[in-house]
Amino acid sequence: MATVVLGIESSCDDTAAAILVDGRLASSVVSSQAVHEQYGGVVPELASRDHQRLIVPIVDAALKKANVAITDIDAVAVTYGPGLAGSLLVGLSFAKALAAARNVPLLGVNHLEGHIYSVFLEETQPPLPHINLTVSGGHTQLIVVDKGFKHNILGRTRDDAAGEAFDKVAKLMGLGFPGGPHIDRLASKGNPEFVHFPRSRPDKFSFSFSGIKTSMLYYLADQDDRENHLREHLGDLCASFQRAVVDVLAGAVADAVEETGIPHVTITGGVSANRELGERVRADGRRLGFDVCIPRPAFCTDNAAMIAKAGEMKWHAGFESPLSLTVIPNLAL
């Protein structure tokens, strides 16, 4: 009899559901909320309302795509933090009700665990232990991942996450939200040496991205004809900004390999889809002798497949959550 795990993700502005059948991904459905683009960032109240409207049809779509019935579900994995409280409540409430009605295990998953273990959705999987860089709009951290869901945090951002810096700098330059894909696309046509933006690492494995954002703000304010300067040098500015961020991230990864002696690296989270970051770390891996695993783009951004996989792995490791589980918006790893 096949084992069916339903995964649910609703931590921010993506309503997502996925089905694993005997560990194989059978479906993954994500509905992204375009309403936030006009505000240049996620509006929490609008996000939670959309989750309420979408959660049932998205789960139904995942079940239909996987060709399984709701009565076939053997466990429900769901994000319970970190994230927006209202958004998290929608997904968790649905998951708890379904788990109770079906009398199946509830598997609470930290959103960061979802990103970390998203690499196990791929055919080529990293060994344990390995070094993981999780880099997204809300998080930037460098950890050692070991057996038994043990995580040794080497360092994290002291202020803005890298993805947040991408979004804020993109907004300064009049680009759309989210900013990362726009900057990455434009950077490929620009000169990364056009402006030297600061590279800030408070210590060997910690990050700080507020300074580079402020540096871009001051740089643009100093231009006599800002709009014309942006038109002429938008690609150069994107390339210069992206190069600075990638230098910081890739440098910390290389230092972590040297410090720990672990020759296996994974990069996860939305910013792991960044072209230059992947190219740089892979080049460092060839030069320094470590392998690199980055999930496909569909598993880099928020999705329920990663929640289903992390939940399934926790279930097999003996973890199970009570129905009294509640959301923790500031949940730490």
Side-chain angles (χ1 to χ4, degrees):
M1 192 72 176
T3 299
V4 178
V5 177
L6 166 66
I8 295 173
E9 157 62 23
S10 67
S11 64
C12 191
D13 62 331
D14 292 317
T15 312
I19 298 290
L20 291 182
V21 179
D22 286 340
R24 178 185 60 84
L25 183 63
S27 69
S28 178
V29 180
V30 181
S31 177
S32 299
Q33 302 172 3
V35 66
H36 306 285
E37 293 178 6
Q38 61 186 300
Y39 301 104
V42 177
V43 181
E45 179 63 23
L46 295 180
S48 59
R49 288 180 187 178
D50 251 18
H51 286 307
Q52 288 178 314
R53 179 175 61 86
L54 291 167
I55 186 69
V56 172
I58 291 298
V59 170
D60 284 345
L63 290 168
K64 183 177 181 180
K65 188 174 181 181
N67 196 29
V68 299
I70 200 166
T71 52
D72 295 326
I73 294 173
D74 296 299
V76 183
V78 61
T79 307
Y80 70 103
L84 302 175
S87 294
L88 290 164
L89 275 169
V90 175
L92 181 58
S93 297
F94 182 94
K96 289 166 68 173
L98 179 57
R102 291 281 304 121
N103 193 29
V104 298
L106 176 72
L107 307 167
V109 176
N110 186 315
H111 183 77
L112 295 174
E113 291 176 335
H115 280 306
I116 292 166
Y117 293 96
S118 63
V119 290
F120 289 93
L121 289 162
E122 303 292 357
E123 288 188 12
T124 302
Q125 301 177 356
L128 294 172
H130 66 254
I131 294 166
N132 169 262
L133 174 68
T134 296
V135 56
S136 67
H139 309 280
T140 301
Q141 64 179 24
L142 191 62
I143 67 173
V144 174
V145 183
D146 211 339
K147 296 176 182 177
F149 282 81
K150 294 178 181 176
H151 309 113
N152 176 28
I153 299 176
L154 300 176
R156 53 166 60 101
T157 183
R158 299 284 184 87
D159 39 60
D160 291 352
E164 181 182 3
F166 270 99
D167 290 339
K168 289 179 177 177
V169 165
K171 189 173 182 179
L172 288 173
M173 294 190 292
L175 304 177
F177 175 85
H182 294 290
I183 290 176
D184 194 18
R185 174 177 54 83
L186 291 164
S188 66
K189 306 171 185 177
N191 174 16
E193 306 299 329
F194 183 71
V195 181
H196 183 81
F197 289 113
R199 278 79 163 153
S200 180
R201 283 166 60 187
D203 57 49
K204 199 170 188 179
F205 301 125
S206 294
F207 309 97
S208 173
F209 296 105
S210 64
I212 188 173
K213 173 193 65 181
T214 304
S215 182
M216 177 67 83
L217 175 68
Y218 288 157
Y219 174 86
L220 292 175
D222 285 342
Q223 304 309 311
D224 293 332
D225 189 345
R226 171 177 169 153
E227 296 307 316
N228 186 57
H229 188 77
L230 277 170
R231 278 194 299 271
E232 291 184 359
H233 298 292
L234 186 58
D236 298 327
L237 292 172
C238 288
S240 298
F241 166 78
Q242 182 166 280
R243 176 62 55 85
V245 173
V246 168
D247 281 351
V248 169
L249 295 171
V253 168
D255 286 345
V257 170
E258 181 181 17
E259 178 96 354
T260 64
I262 299 173
H264 312 290
V265 170
T266 66
I267 308 177
T268 56
V271 182
S272 68
N274 180 274
R275 169 194 52 82
E276 185 172 354
L277 177 61
E279 290 175 355
R280 170 73 68 80
V281 177
R282 286 191 173 101
D284 287 347
R286 292 189 292 270
R287 180 171 57 87
L288 300 174
F290 62 85
D291 56 74
V292 181
C293 182
I294 302 173
R296 72 194 79 168
F299 300 147
C300 292
T301 53
D302 289 354
N303 64 89
M306 68 183 191
I307 302 302
K309 174 55 71 174
E312 180 193 55
M313 293 174 70
K314 295 184 79 169
W315 188 23
H316 290 330
F319 294 90
E320 188 175 332
S321 302
L323 289 175
S324 59
L325 183 70
T326 188
V327 301
I328 305 178
N330 61 346
L331 180 67
L333 187 63

